[in-house]
Amino acid sequence: MLNRMYDWIDERLDITPIWRDIADHEVPEHVNPAHHFSAFVYCFGGLTFFVTVIQILSGMFLTMYYVPDIKNAWESVYYLQNEVAFGQIVRGMHHWGASVVIVMMFLHTLRVFFQGAYKKPRELNWVVGVLIFFVMLALGLTGYLLPWDMKALFATKVTLDIVESLPFIGVPMKTLLAGDPTIVGAQTLTRFFAIHVFFLPAALLALMGVHFVLIRRQGISGPL
């Protein structure tokens, strides 16, 4: 059945050459854990991508129940946590995955740095990777407010105070993020939700696309 579907699609779109170009790609010997134990350090990038996919899928599920306003945000999270089938599991995956993806990305960045994989000709990919790191951090910060509990509220106030302390752009940046520069309220929650669900994921997917294209063109960096 699947072969017939593939043949039907391939006959119309000629996807076989594209698929072979993606799939038939030799993996360097030094990244094969079966031959080199140190090859496990090359898995951090793939693990980061795997956890990112889990974050995206679980986040899509959460948005089906979450209500981004100050009257219903906490109640919607409570309902998801206690009434929706497997809601507690999915929310737990998303909650802990937010920390795991940062750890994996940090380890991946360390591997790239200490092995000198940021040097010529991979300077641009290093810059893209650093931008992805910042986007991930921003996703964690904006998502922290969404449950709308006391811990999230006070943590967001601290974050906005740090933003406000930036020279020149601090005050307008805080106003942009919070809506009202004096309190963390309805506008803040709505803006954080929009940034977390629309703007940052779009930036993340674009940067990851560039990252993967560059990896494919330049290959996986070798050991020192």
Side-chain angles (χ1 to χ4, degrees), residues 21 36 58 94 111 140 148-149 163 177:
D21 183 60
H36 302 280
S58 60
H94 197 76
R111 197 280 299 174
W148 198 247
D149 53 16
V163 171
L177 291 174

Side-chain angles (χ1 to χ4, degrees), residues 54-56 58-59 62 89-98 196:
I54 292 177
Q55 289 299 96
I56 293 173
S58 60
L62 296 181
I89 296 175
V90 177
R91 191 192 171 213
M93 292 170 59
H94 197 76
H95 173 79
W96 292 108
H196 185 77

Side-chain angles (χ1 to χ4, degrees), residues 6-26:
Y6 179 88
D7 293 339
W8 187 88
I9 296 173
D10 184 52
E11 184 179 358
R12 287 153 179 80
L13 301 178
D14 194 24
I15 62 174
T16 297
I18 301 175
W19 171 247
R20 286 178 177 172
D21 183 60
I22 296 173
D24 297 343
H25 185 67
E26 292 186 5

Side-chain angles (χ1 to χ4, degrees), residues 107-216:
L107 294 174
H108 178 57
T109 304
L110 286 181
R111 197 280 299 174
V112 172
F113 178 78
F114 284 112
Q115 290 196 330
Y118 59 89
K119 299 179 181 179
K120 184 180 180 180
R122 297 181 173 87
E123 304 95 329
L124 179 59
N125 213 7
W126 169 261
V127 173
V128 172
V130 171
L131 292 176
I132 292 175
F133 204 158
F134 285 132
V135 170
M136 284 293 190
L137 292 174
L139 280 166
L141 288 173
T142 53
Y144 203 82
L145 177 65
L146 301 186
W148 198 247
D149 53 16
M150 295 304 297
K151 183 172 66 173
L153 182 65
F154 286 112
T156 302
K157 286 183 178 180
V158 173
T159 300
L160 291 174
D161 288 341
I162 294 173
V163 171
E164 188 179 18
S165 66
L166 295 174
F168 305 112
I169 63 171
V171 175
M173 183 66 71
K174 179 182 178 181
T175 303
L176 177 65
L177 291 174
D180 188 336
T182 59
I183 61 171
V184 176
Q187 290 192 51
T188 312
L189 180 62
T190 303
R191 294 189 182 201
F192 271 52
F193 176 77
I195 293 171
H196 185 77
V197 173
F198 298 110
F199 294 98
L200 291 178
L204 177 64
L205 293 176
L207 289 170
M208 287 176 61
V210 175
H211 195 60
F212 291 143
V213 169
L214 290 175
I215 291 174
R216 187 59 188 269

